[in-house]
Amino acid sequence: MTSLKFTRRLLLGAAAAVLTTSAFAQSAWPDKPIRIIVPYAAGQGADVLIRLVSREIEKTLGQAIVIDNRAGAGGNIGTAAAAKAAPDGYTFLFGTNATNAANEFLYPNLGFDPQKDFDGVAMVGLLPMVIATTAPDLPANGIAELIARAKAKPNTLNVGLPSTTASVVFAQFVKQANAPLFAVKYKASAQSMTDVLGGQIPLVIDTVTAARPHVTSGKLKVLGITSLKPSEMLPGVKSVAEQGVPGFDVVAWDALFAPKGTPPEIVQKVSQHLQRALQNPETRKKMLDIGVEPLYMAPAQLDAFVRDERTKWGATIKAADIRVD
């Protein structure tokens, strides 16, 4: 009996030691640099954004943040690496609407499951697109007139599409507005923008970042922005939804994710640090300058948002038979 009591004491002591060690480990987090995997090349939009935001997070977190660029396969290579990382609070993914919503409907084998392999940490920002033109007889904020012309002469108005996101915006617009436009696909923004500015095509769908310099110079007119509401990045520009296409809302976005199984306490802490970073006026201004509208979402809200986005993007991609070249 005495031996049994002694054994029980040992087990209880060991359990208490494990709990104490676990609590200490969590309280000590972070005690080394944190890695954020960016599934795109250095210098691309997502990379520029997370480097900007991470500098603010470092100030309050008290640890260095290392950006690990793993580009390739439309973001799938880096995202797969993040999915396989240890869920210990020292590796995160800077994901996008492509990696965490659209790619599963575009690629036969991702190497990860965007729904099962990640937990949302925080939304960072939205990247609205614009429908823009150089046509002299189409007015700014002229979505209603564009729809009328498309219906009058079906499939005669060419629209330059430099990305998968632009293709999804186009397909959803054609469907919701019942506007029979003709898609012209390009490899990059520079090519489609050159053609629309040169008069080879009358319309283009692209990011605010790509369009804004030409809008400022007066060479390009924006007919509408694709976010549900207008954006302070383009004052005076109405949303597509305000111009006869109710509920239209197709935007790119960037968000931070953690490998599934990362301690919830750590996820919440990182989310709160990121929220503080987005509240910094200087950070917000810099984000707007690069074409990103700051928007914070907490973990549960982000997870729900991504589920809805996956449904929306998947349905549009399948219906329009959008493919990666």
Side-chain angles (χ1 to χ4, degrees):
M1 182 66 70
T2 302
S3 176
L4 181 58
K5 288 182 178 178
F6 180 72
T7 302
R8 285 176 178 170
R9 287 196 197 99
L10 284 177
L11 290 173
L12 288 171
V18 168
L19 289 172
T20 302
T21 301
S22 175
F24 176 78
Q26 289 187 14
S27 66
W29 181 93
D31 60 1
K32 62 181 180 180
I34 291 170
R35 177 177 63 142
I36 298 179
I37 294 178
V38 178
Y40 301 99
Q44 290 191 0
D47 175 73
V48 172
L49 175 58
I50 192 56
R51 288 178 188 274
L52 166 64
V53 174
S54 65
R55 285 196 289 270
E56 286 302 314
I57 299 174
E58 285 177 331
K59 295 176 184 178
T60 58
L61 195 60
Q63 273 292 346
I65 294 177
V66 178
I67 304 301
D68 183 0
N69 296 95
R70 303 273 190 103
N76 293 339
I77 291 175
T79 307
K84 296 176 177 64
D88 57 6
Y90 288 97
T91 299
F92 294 87
L93 167 73
F94 196 54
T96 67
N97 54 287
T99 59
N100 290 72
N103 282 3
E104 67 175 292
F105 307 102
L106 296 168
Y107 294 85
N109 182 21
L110 296 181
F112 62 92
D113 186 318
Q115 186 168 6
K116 295 180 180 179
D117 291 343
F118 296 101
D119 287 320
V121 177
M123 173 66 79
V124 176
L126 303 180
L127 293 86
M129 307 285 282
V130 295
I131 301 174
T133 185
T134 51
D137 55 346
L138 268 175
N141 293 314
I143 290 295
E145 188 165 341
L146 172 63
I147 294 170
R149 293 193 186 190
K151 290 179 178 179
K153 296 182 178 180
N155 297 313
T156 59
L157 286 173
N158 296 339
V159 185
L161 307 176
S163 65
T164 300
T165 300
S167 294
V168 172
V169 170
F170 173 86
Q172 192 64 26
F173 178 76
V174 167
K175 177 184 176 182
Q176 282 188 236
N178 190 24
L181 300 162
F182 188 81
V184 181
K185 292 192 176 183
Y186 290 82
K187 295 287 186 182
S189 289
Q191 299 167 353
S192 59
M193 200 59 70
T194 296
D195 277 4
V196 75
L197 293 173
Q200 279 73 41
I201 55 174
L203 296 150
V204 67
I205 295 176
D206 211 329
T207 63
V208 170
T209 306
R212 194 161 47 184
H214 308 295
V215 174
T216 302
S217 70
K219 295 178 181 178
L220 194 67
K221 292 179 293 185
V222 177
L223 304 181
I225 194 163
T226 66
S227 50
L228 190 60
K229 298 178 181 179
S231 170
E232 58 184 297
M233 291 187 291
L234 287 173
V237 174
K238 295 180 180 179
S239 68
V240 172
E242 292 178 292
Q243 301 184 68
V245 193
F248 189 86
D249 183 21
V250 185
V251 298
W253 44 265
D254 292 324
L256 194 67
F257 296 88
K260 183 71 75 173
T262 300
E265 299 87 353
I266 292 177
V267 169
Q268 286 292 341
K269 283 183 181 179
V270 174
S271 187
Q272 289 163 5
H273 281 281
L274 205 153
Q275 182 181 25
R276 283 195 287 271
L278 295 181
Q279 290 170 342
N280 182 293
E282 186 178 349
T283 300
R284 291 181 62 83
K285 182 182 182 302
K286 289 179 179 178
M287 288 176 65
L288 291 168
D289 286 345
I290 62 173
V292 181
E293 193 169 287
L295 177 65
Y296 171 77
M297 289 184 191
Q301 186 183 6
L302 175 59
D303 284 335
F305 172 83
V306 173
R307 283 194 297 270
D308 290 343
E309 285 288 280
R310 191 176 294 116
T311 299
K312 178 169 69 178
W313 286 71
T316 301
I317 288 168
K318 289 177 182 178
D321 193 25
I322 297 171
R323 304 183 185 188
V324 176
D325 296 329

